Amino acid sequence: VIWMTQSPSLLSASTGDRVTISCRMSQGISSYLAWYQQKPGKAPELLIYAASTLQSGVPSRFSGSGSGTDFTLTISCLQSEDFATYYCQQYYSFPRTFGQGTKLEIK
Amino acid sequence: QLQLQESGPGLVKPSETLSLTCTVSGGSISSSSYYWGWIRQPPGKGLEWIGSIYYSGSTYYNPSLKSRVTISVDTSKNQFSLKLSSVTAADTAVYYCARDFIWGQGTMVTVSS
């Protein structure tokens, strides 16, 4: 099983800020990492796959980086609609695993 | 455009079997090399991968649930299903079906007598 450590679990920020969320793997997964955004009462929506590829329709203020064991999601200029919970997921091997989630809240 | 829709009982009694179906539209479940899977999310908690089935029929399960889970495909109906046996209150969650990164809207299942 590949264990994932996502941090921070809670992030307070203001509109216009630049924020980063980290995801660390217990073993290397090449670039088989996805990032999701989830809003209350909704299903998670894909933001980034293959660690750094932006899903079609996702604003360019979202970006992903990393490979191997360390990955980062960056939101360059927070908008009001970005306050949500974010999850990373590895799809390098089974069982698939998710990070614990990062709740991004308004400061 | 591919869409997935979960369906099934919203209330299941303890010790019984939870059964959900995912209906796929906008694409054939058997025509492409994708993984079709189930994920769940207990109220107020994070995401837990339950298991996946490959279009060829190979299955992969979460080790923590493996003894209770069965995922199968019905290509004639373009559906795949989840069965989780011997449920307890800890299995109360929103259950999502997904094809790789495309998810259904989810369905809430409560385990209670």
Side-chain angles (χ1 to χ4, degrees):
Chain A
V1 180
I2 297 176
W3 301 106
M4 307 173 68
T5 302
Q6 185 177 340
S7 61
S9 56
L10 179 63
L11 182 55
S12 298
S14 302
T15 303
D17 285 353
R18 176 187 176 94
V19 298
T20 61
I21 298 170
S22 171
C23 204
R24 175 165 287 179
M25 310 297 134
S26 62
Q27 63 188 77
I29 62 166
S30 184
S31 295
Y32 291 91
L33 187 95
W35 289 97
Y36 292 90
Q37 177 193 67
Q38 186 179 34
K39 296 184 177 179
K42 299 293 187 181
E45 292 187 354
L46 180 68
L47 296 173
I48 288 168
Y49 61 96
S52 60
T53 302
L54 203 63
Q55 170 70 352
S56 176
V58 175
S60 59
R61 61 181 179 273
F62 291 91
S63 64
S65 64
S67 67
T69 60
D70 292 306
F71 300 85
T72 299
L73 172 69
T74 299
I75 311 173
S76 61
C77 182
L78 277 172
Q79 303 299 302
S80 58
E81 61 266 30
D82 301 335
F83 291 96
T85 301
Y86 294 84
Y87 294 93
C88 53
Q89 183 205 12
Q90 66 82 17
Y91 54 100
Y92 176 78
S93 68
F94 289 106
R96 306 297 197 224
T97 42
F98 291 92
Q100 298 89 338
T102 295
K103 184 177 182 179
L104 177 55
E105 66 172 20
I106 301 174
K107 183 185 289 184
Chain B
Q1 180 180 351
L2 188 79
Q3 292 187 315
L4 298 94
Q5 178 67 59
E6 305 88 351
S7 60
L11 181 65
V12 181
K13 289 182 168 54
S15 80
E16 295 188 345
T17 296
L18 179 160
S19 296
L20 296 175
T21 297
C22 183
T23 301
V24 178
S25 58
S28 172
I29 202 168
S30 59
S31 66
S32 304
S33 55
Y34 290 109
Y35 291 99
W36 305 87
W38 292 92
I39 303 101
R40 70 181 183 179
Q41 185 172 36
K45 297 188 177 180
L47 301 166
E48 179 180 33
W49 177 79
I50 299 171
S52 296
I53 186 165
Y54 197 46
Y55 80 111
S56 62
S58 300
T59 53
Y60 307 85
Y61 298 133
N62 188 322
S64 68
L65 299 170
K66 187 174 183 178
S67 63
R68 299 194 290 133
V69 173
T70 303
I71 296 175
S72 59
V73 169
D74 185 339
T75 55
S76 66
K77 296 181 179 179
N78 220 34
Q79 296 175 334
F80 63 105
S81 64
L82 168 70
K83 291 189 185 301
L84 180 65
S85 64
S86 305
V87 297
T88 69
D91 295 309
T92 293
V94 176
Y95 286 77
Y96 297 99
C97 62
R99 190 205 79 178
D100 290 342
F101 308 123
I102 303 172
W103 296 41
Q105 66 183 26
T107 187
M108 180 69 200
V109 178
T110 301
V111 178
S112 175
S113 56

